[in-house]
Amino acid sequence: MITTVVWILVVLLAVGLYLSWTAGRLDRLHARIDAARAALDAQLLRRASVTQELATSGVLDPAASIVLYEAAHAARQAEEEPREVAESELSQALRAVFAEPQQVEVVREAPGGEEAARELTEAVRRVPMARRFHNDAVGAARRLREHRKVRWFRLAGHAPFPMAFEMDDEPPAALADRAG
């Protein structure tokens, strides 16, 4: 009788330790999502800021400057819900303005243009990487949260279900060529 009770206690302890480990893993994944989201937000803000600086520098023609400035401003001011759309529109505006390598050369030839072109190239290159890191963390947390043990024992607590950040982040061809 005592050995049966001991075995039951050992099994309950092992299950408890396993559930505690799983809850800790889920907590670490949520912390990773928060860190990746902060990094993504920083890269999106950097891209919008560099774009606004370039748009107001006087290097580009007025139409391109207006298109870039409005798209960057909308991306910086967007609330959480429409942000993916605003960031996608900024990507589209950047592709429209910098579709041809000649436009990048115009920027590079202006005073301070080499630095501006380099900053914009780095900014548009880093956004897809930051988004990929964020979405990978979200995918890992979602897969773990779909397990029955996580749902049955409510190991996720009150944490919101993680959502991926879906946007058009394809860089302009002329800037992507420069980054390579």
Side-chain angles (χ1 to χ4, degrees):
M1 181 70 170
I2 293 179
T3 56
T4 305
V5 171
V6 169
W7 278 111
I8 290 173
L9 289 175
V10 167
V11 168
L12 288 176
L13 180 65
V15 168
L17 287 173
Y18 178 71
L19 291 176
S20 175
W21 176 81
T22 303
R25 181 173 169 229
L26 189 58
D27 187 50
R28 288 188 301 277
L29 282 172
H30 282 270
R32 189 172 131 205
I33 289 170
D34 291 342
R37 181 57 189 247
L40 175 61
D41 288 342
Q43 292 305 323
L44 292 171
L45 181 61
R46 181 172 184 254
R47 181 180 74 155
S49 297
V50 170
T51 302
Q52 273 187 321
E53 286 178 27
L54 185 61
T56 58
S57 69
V59 173
L60 301 171
D61 63 90
S65 293
I66 290 171
V67 167
L68 286 181
Y69 183 83
E70 287 180 353
H73 181 70
R76 288 183 74 174
Q77 300 299 317
E79 296 296 323
E80 199 59 35
E81 284 296 314
R83 184 156 186 209
E84 293 172 351
V85 174
E87 294 293 348
S88 293
E89 289 173 354
L90 177 54
S91 295
Q92 293 164 0
L94 285 166
R95 279 198 309 271
V97 171
F98 293 106
E100 300 297 324
Q102 294 84 2
Q103 190 66 31
V104 177
E105 291 305 316
V106 168
V107 171
R108 289 180 64 206
E109 291 170 1
E114 184 66 36
E115 176 77 14
R118 185 184 56 74
E119 284 184 25
L120 184 61
T121 300
E122 288 177 7
V124 299
R125 183 178 51 86
R126 289 179 179 170
V127 166
M129 288 188 296
R131 188 176 74 86
R132 194 171 314 116
F133 289 142
H134 175 267
N135 288 351
D136 287 348
V138 166
R142 282 180 161 188
R143 284 188 297 278
L144 184 57
R145 286 182 70 150
E146 289 171 356
H147 288 220
R148 274 184 248 153
K149 66 180 175 252
V150 173
R151 290 192 320 261
W152 288 351
F153 293 101
R154 299 176 191 254
L155 298 181
H158 296 289
F161 194 74
M163 301 302 291
F165 194 87
E166 297 299 334
M167 63 172 270
D168 174 3
D169 60 5
E170 183 181 336
L175 293 176
D177 292 343
R178 239 175 94 64

